[in-house]
Amino acid sequence: MSSPFILLNYKTYIQGTGQGAVEIAKACKAVSEESGIEIAVAPQLPDIYRVASEVELPVFSQHLDGIGAGSFTGHVFGKCVKEAGAVGTLINHSERRLTLAEIEASLKAAKEFGLRAVICTNNVPTTAAAAALEPDYVAIEPPELIGSGIPVSKADPEVVSGSVEAVAKINPDVKVLCGAGISKGEDLRAALDLGSQGVLLASGIVKAADPKAALEDLIRLV
Ligand code: G3P
């Protein structure tokens, strides 16, 4: 099995804001180098440039709008995200839901600017629909488990394995991540055993007293 992909979403947690965003990215880089596992971070948008400039690791945007250059005040433009140093973006996170048309437009913008796209979903049917759009990844995250500390890979293994099966039928090139409540080595191990290729996670690492130690625990059973 290939090495998993770990994507750490900082959300708007205070620990991952401003200089904290850089410090957590440094912990991710250290663990990534020690383990050979790809770890990427998704800080808040104004922190993308700061993190990407100071730490050499993949940086993702937490959101992208399907717009171009011009009269789009307050929107997130793919070219700007790319030039800030991001290599990818989340689309349709549970805390930043979009319409189907908007998801398609955001994905198109991500592709136009060479950004890896992770479409977030909440159940097997939406995962299947997202896979049909051909993103790089879909990330299945049942909203009720997000931030709960109860890992999706243990509390709802069927939604992970069902998503993996659905995506394999629709487009085997699309990789499946899972997320919600993932924080421990056993949670990541269970996610990989269910067929996912990595995890999207947040609170268990960003809010940990020692994010580097929390990351080391996360990957210990890979
Ligand atoms: O984007 C990751 C996320 O929604 C899961 O959050 O805190 O349950 O790891 P958490």
Side-chain angles (χ1 to χ4, degrees):
M1 190 188 60
S2 60
S3 177
F5 176 50
I6 295 172
L7 178 50
L8 182 61
N9 177 7
Y10 291 4
K11 306 198 175 188
T12 59
Y13 288 129
I14 197 75
Q15 296 88 338
T17 299
Q19 188 55 29
V22 174
E23 298 311 320
I24 293 174
K26 285 180 181 168
C28 291
K29 180 177 161 63
V31 175
S32 179
E33 282 180 350
E34 282 162 18
S35 63
I37 293 172
E38 184 180 25
I39 304 178
V41 296
Q44 291 166 66
L45 273 71
D47 283 330
I48 289 176
Y49 182 75
R50 175 199 294 255
V51 173
S53 303
E54 294 190 39
V55 191
E56 202 178 312
L57 91 171
V59 179
F60 278 55
S61 178
Q62 294 183 8
H63 170 71
L64 190 71
D65 286 307
I67 50 97
S71 305
F72 297 103
T73 304
H75 288 70
V76 182
F77 179 28
K79 182 174 171 60
C80 188
V81 163
K82 177 80 177 182
E83 292 203 3
V87 300
T89 187
L90 296 176
I91 294 172
N92 193 45
H93 189 277
S94 169
E95 293 149 12
R96 192 66 174 84
R97 281 287 185 241
L98 301 174
T99 64
L100 183 57
E102 288 167 337
I103 293 170
E104 200 272 335
S106 294
L107 179 61
K108 195 170 162 218
K111 288 186 176 178
E112 181 179 351
F113 295 104
L115 296 164
R116 287 155 70 184
V118 180
I119 300 183
C120 300
T121 60
N122 60 326
N123 56 32
V124 175
T126 59
T127 302
L133 296 173
E134 303 189 341
D136 299 281
Y137 300 89
V138 291
I140 168 69
E141 295 196 313
E144 65 279 10
L145 295 174
I146 291 178
S148 69
I150 303 169
V152 60
S153 50
K154 291 194 171 169
D156 195 355
E158 296 79 14
V159 81
V160 180
S161 54
S163 293
V164 169
E165 277 168 36
V167 172
K169 279 188 205 140
I170 289 165
N171 187 341
D173 291 337
V174 176
K175 298 185 178 74
V176 179
L177 307 179
C178 68
I182 304 281
S183 66
K184 304 259 176 280
E186 306 84 83
D187 310 340
L188 173 57
R189 184 66 262 162
L192 300 177
D193 290 344
L194 291 165
S196 72
Q197 282 130 321
V199 289
L200 172 60
L201 78 172
S203 54
I205 307 294
V206 178
K207 292 171 78 178
D210 182 346
K212 181 165 185 279
L215 280 164
E216 283 166 345
D217 180 67
L218 178 75
I219 61 161
R220 85 192 137 79
L221 299 176
V222 171

